[in-house]
Amino acid sequence: ELKVEQNPLFLSMQEGKNYTIYCNYSTTSDRLYWYRQDPGKSLESLFVLLSNGAVKQEGRLMASLDTKARLSTLHITAAVHDLSATYFCAVDSVKGSQGNLIFGKGTKLSVKP
Amino acid sequence: GAVVSQHPSWVICKSGTSVKIECRSLDFQATTMFWYRQFPKQSLMLMATSNEGSKATYEQGVEKDKFLINHASLTLSTLTVTSAHPEDSSFYICSAPRVTNYEQYFGPGTRLTVT
């Protein structure tokens, strides 16, 4: 059974600081996704990582994937208040298929001034 | 970009009644769509895979007779919660994959409250 673990589950940061969220998964998978969720809202796609060594960056967020270690990281650089949200990683659970996602528990990020 | 819509965005119903939720892919065709459920302060859990032209596939522990899924066309999937009970109150989110870019597009969600 595929399991996806995120840590930390809660993260309180000061503006301007850097931090990393970790996502481990238990079996091989074709793809890893990162999403953002604001309170009361649905998911906003951040990154899709397709292969070992993949690195993607958008603004203050950078995601990477190490398929051998079954580990993805979401790095936050110089955090700002607008980044406060819950971040989920997710993995395709069915090889060769797209969309049967198993999610981590989420990391609730709070950025304080 | 690709958009997935859901209707209604929120619904309140009485215990024992049925509620239908629609999920539409607005600018691409989706032979497969997915339904997730999210309880407050929890993660998303995959409920079922909706397949156009064939039966839905349900995850372990999800009652197929309670959560009826119909994939009526390449752009529409519906989830009907039958004989709803208060414990069915949740945030239901659908998604559709776009194979051309490996993206998974999520609808805005439907908040169901059963009284």
Side-chain angles (χ1 to χ4, degrees):
Chain A
E1 180 189 344
L2 174 61
K3 293 184 179 178
V4 181
E5 294 186 355
Q6 274 181 252
N7 70 84
L9 299 183
F10 298 94
L11 180 55
S12 181
M13 298 176 63
Q14 280 192 311
E15 280 192 328
K17 298 292 187 182
N18 305 332
Y19 209 85
T20 301
I21 300 171
Y22 297 88
C23 176
N24 288 92
Y25 52 101
S26 59
T27 61
T28 57
S29 177
D30 293 333
R31 281 165 291 276
L32 189 134
Y33 305 79
W34 283 98
Y35 294 96
R36 168 182 172 144
Q37 186 177 39
D38 292 297
K41 304 289 187 182
S42 186
L43 300 183
E44 174 190 348
S45 178
L46 296 175
F47 303 106
V48 181
L49 302 172
L50 302 177
S51 60
N52 188 43
V55 177
K56 289 192 174 180
Q57 183 164 6
E58 182 73 35
R60 300 174 188 275
L61 302 178
M62 183 174 70
S64 66
L65 178 62
D66 181 343
T67 57
K68 293 179 181 177
R70 297 177 191 155
L71 171 69
S72 180
T73 61
L74 180 66
H75 187 72
I76 303 158
T77 302
V80 293
H81 179 71
D82 286 351
L83 289 179
S84 297
T86 299
Y87 292 84
F88 292 97
C89 65
V91 173
D92 276 312
S93 62
V94 178
K95 262 197 121 28
S97 176
Q98 181 184 345
N100 310 65
L101 298 184
I102 302 299
F103 282 82
K105 290 187 175 180
T107 297
K108 186 172 182 179
L109 172 64
S110 175
V111 181
K112 303 181 187 302
Chain B
V3 177
V4 173
S5 71
Q6 277 184 247
H7 177 80
S9 55
W10 59 270
V11 58
I12 301 172
C13 71
K14 291 190 176 180
S15 188
T17 61
S18 295
V19 173
K20 180 185 282 188
I21 303 169
E22 292 186 349
C23 176
R24 292 181 187 272
S25 57
L26 297 184
D27 58 356
F28 67 100
Q29 293 182 336
T31 56
T32 305
M33 292 183 177
F34 299 91
W35 288 95
Y36 294 84
R37 181 167 54 183
Q38 185 180 33
F39 292 109
K41 299 188 187 302
Q42 294 188 24
S43 187
L44 281 77
M45 289 194 63
L46 178 63
M47 297 176 65
T49 304
S50 174
N51 302 300
E52 193 269 336
S54 63
K55 291 183 179 180
T57 306
Y58 293 82
E59 295 299 305
Q60 194 171 11
V62 177
E63 300 175 59
K64 62 180 180 180
D65 294 331
K66 181 170 186 63
F67 298 99
L68 300 181
I69 291 172
N70 182 30
H71 202 126
S73 73
L74 288 172
T75 59
L76 173 63
S77 174
T78 60
L79 169 68
T80 301
V81 183
T82 63
S83 186
H85 288 100
E87 57 265 31
D88 298 324
S89 298
S90 189
F91 192 41
Y92 292 87
I93 309 174
C94 69
S95 74
R98 191 168 198 173
V99 296
T100 52
N101 62 359
Y102 300 105
E103 280 282 0
Q104 190 73 217
Y105 296 98
F106 284 83
T110 297
R111 193 164 302 281
L112 170 64
T113 301
V114 184
T115 62

